[in-house]
Amino acid sequence: MVGKFESASSSGIRVKLWDGTPMEEISRNDVRRVIHLRRSHLGDPHKLLTTGAVIGGIAGATAVAITDRNDCQGCKGFRIAAGGAGGAMFGFLGAAIVGAGFGTFDLLHHSKVIYVAERPPAKVPRLVSPGFEVAR
C-alpha cells in the first residue's frame, strides 16, 4: 500500500492512500514492511530553469549597462540586450547544473526501511493501480 503515513498505535497504522482512498486503518498483523520515501529536493524543474534564466538575464543586462561606457547611436541598447541574453543562457545552465545535483542526491538518498515484520502478512497483497503491487 502506498500513501502518506498519518499515525500509528499498538493495533496498527493509519495511512492516507495515494490512490484516492481518504484513509485506511491497517492492522499490525497485516503490515509486512514500512518504507519511508524521502521528499524530492527538486521542485518543478521548469520553474527552477526559468528562474535561473530570468536572474541571469537581469544580472547580464545590468552588468553591461553599468560597465559599458561607449554610447554610439543605438549601440548601447543592443549591447544591453545581448548581455541579458548571455546572462540568461548562463543562468539557465547554472540552474540546470543545480537541478542535476539535487536529482543525483535524490537518486542516492531516496528511501529507508522503518519497520519489517517478523512474519509475512496475513492477507494477500492487493493492487492499488495497474502495474503497482502493494504489499499489505
Side-chain angles (χ1 to χ4, degrees):
M1 179 167 313
V2 178
K4 182 179 179 191
F5 173 80
E6 292 292 325
S7 63
S9 66
S10 59
S11 62
I13 61 172
R14 291 183 63 132
V15 177
K16 184 175 183 180
L17 300 179
W18 289 351
D19 68 349
T21 308
M23 186 76 65
E24 186 165 329
E25 177 90 26
I26 304 164
S27 169
R28 186 178 185 104
N29 294 332
D30 294 340
V31 175
R32 171 70 175 134
R33 181 176 23 187
V34 177
I35 300 173
H36 176 178
L37 298 175
R38 294 185 183 166
R39 181 178 64 88
S40 175
H41 294 88
L42 179 63
D44 182 14
H46 300 288
K47 185 176 178 181
L48 176 70
L49 296 173
T50 303
T51 303
V54 167
I55 291 172
I58 291 171
T62 303
V64 170
I66 291 172
T67 60
D68 189 12
R69 299 192 190 273
N70 296 333
D71 191 19
C72 63
Q73 299 166 345
C75 295
K76 189 167 186 172
F78 175 75
R79 286 194 295 266
I80 289 172
M89 180 185 70
F90 284 115
F92 180 87
L93 291 174
I97 291 169
V98 167
F102 280 131
T104 302
F105 179 80
D106 283 346
L107 283 174
L108 298 175
H109 301 92
H110 63 283
S111 67
K112 68 178 180 177
V113 176
I114 296 187
Y115 170 79
V116 177
E118 295 177 4
R119 61 188 181 294
K123 295 181 182 177
V124 177
R126 68 181 176 105
L127 292 177
V128 171
S129 60
F132 291 102
E133 184 175 334
V134 177
R136 282 183 78 178

